[in-house]
Amino acid sequence: MDDKSEERGGGLEPLNSTDRRVRADAQRNSKALLEAAMAVFAASGVDAPVREIADKAGVGVGTLYRHFPQRSDLIVAVFRNEVDACANAASAIAAEYQPGPALARWMQRYVDFIAAKRGLAAAFSSGDPAYESLPLYFLEKLRPALQTLLDAATEAGDVRSDVDAKELLFAIARLCSPDHYGGGPDQARRMVGLLVDGLRYCAPSVGSDV
């Protein structure tokens, strides 16, 4: 299909410059709102005033509600956006670094995701059915991303071969929990660094018969 046309009412009509500009503006506004909401939620929690989010995004409150009619719509969109960014980072990191360092770097990127997600914790524990699908979305996106990195690092002889991606995701999340260790993000990164060292224990070198 021509990128300057779209299907309307069963036929194809050209998108004029105004249509494209409106669509581009809507995409920019949506992105700005998601970024602003993530920052505000991280600082003030999910019950922060919507005006604060709109002001930070540089849009009106009406624009926020056009994109996200319910607060839960915005929270779900923020979570999915952060999950997607973390998952997509796996391939970008793998393209730049060798398998072992790539795995270690993505695990630290995942630490950042967990730290940012804390601002959404109150919503996820609320029992609201709007959030029921998010744990599955989390696993469907992040488990294969991590598994690909693990497989490459295992094949390269950089890590042991008995590591399960799902277990590793949950282990890192536990290490990042303030309830677990009482420290801040820097301490979480150090502890995850130690976990990475543990993954290397008993890793066979390439070409080894073991």
Side-chain angles (χ1 to χ4, degrees):
M1 183 183 297
D2 190 333
D3 61 1
K4 295 183 180 179
S5 62
E6 68 174 8
E7 188 171 353
R8 295 179 180 175
L12 293 178
E13 294 184 8
L15 283 174
N16 59 38
S17 60
T18 300
D19 291 332
R20 292 194 295 273
R21 185 170 61 253
V22 169
R23 180 170 294 181
D25 287 345
Q27 291 174 343
R28 282 194 296 270
N29 288 339
S30 179
K31 180 180 179 182
L33 283 165
L34 290 175
E35 292 175 351
M38 187 68 258
V40 171
F41 290 160
S44 307
V46 292
D47 294 323
V50 293
R51 182 170 294 279
E52 182 180 352
I53 297 171
D55 288 347
K56 189 172 184 64
V59 302
V61 173
T63 298
L64 186 154
Y65 280 119
R66 280 195 296 275
H67 285 273
F68 308 104
Q70 303 293 328
R71 183 179 292 267
S72 60
D73 297 328
L74 179 57
I75 293 171
V76 168
V78 165
F79 180 81
R80 286 174 174 259
N81 186 61
E82 291 299 309
V83 168
D84 290 346
C86 189
N88 293 337
S91 58
I93 292 172
E96 187 173 354
Y97 297 94
Q98 293 299 313
L103 174 62
R105 284 178 177 272
W106 188 86
M107 287 171 64
Q108 294 295 346
R109 172 64 178 81
Y110 179 58
V111 171
D112 295 337
F113 164 78
I114 294 296
K117 189 171 70 69
R118 287 179 192 160
L120 308 176
F124 297 156
S125 61
S126 67
D128 189 325
Y131 310 123
E132 288 179 354
S133 65
L134 296 185
L136 179 60
Y137 188 84
F138 166 90
L139 283 176
E140 287 180 341
K141 291 288 185 175
L142 295 186
R143 185 176 185 175
L146 177 54
Q147 189 65 60
T148 299
L149 294 171
L150 274 173
D151 290 345
T154 299
E155 184 175 353
D158 291 334
V159 300
R160 54 195 299 163
S161 60
D162 59 347
V163 182
D164 179 80
K166 180 179 177 180
E167 291 179 350
L168 187 55
L169 287 173
F170 291 153
I172 297 171
R174 287 292 302 274
L175 287 176
C176 294
S177 170
D179 295 336
H180 183 69
Y181 64 90
D186 289 342
Q187 185 174 350
R189 292 187 183 93
R190 288 194 296 271
M191 295 179 71
V192 171
L194 293 174
L195 178 59
V196 171
D197 289 342
L199 296 179
R200 299 188 181 110
Y201 181 71
C202 290
S205 59
V206 175
S208 171
D209 294 330
V210 178

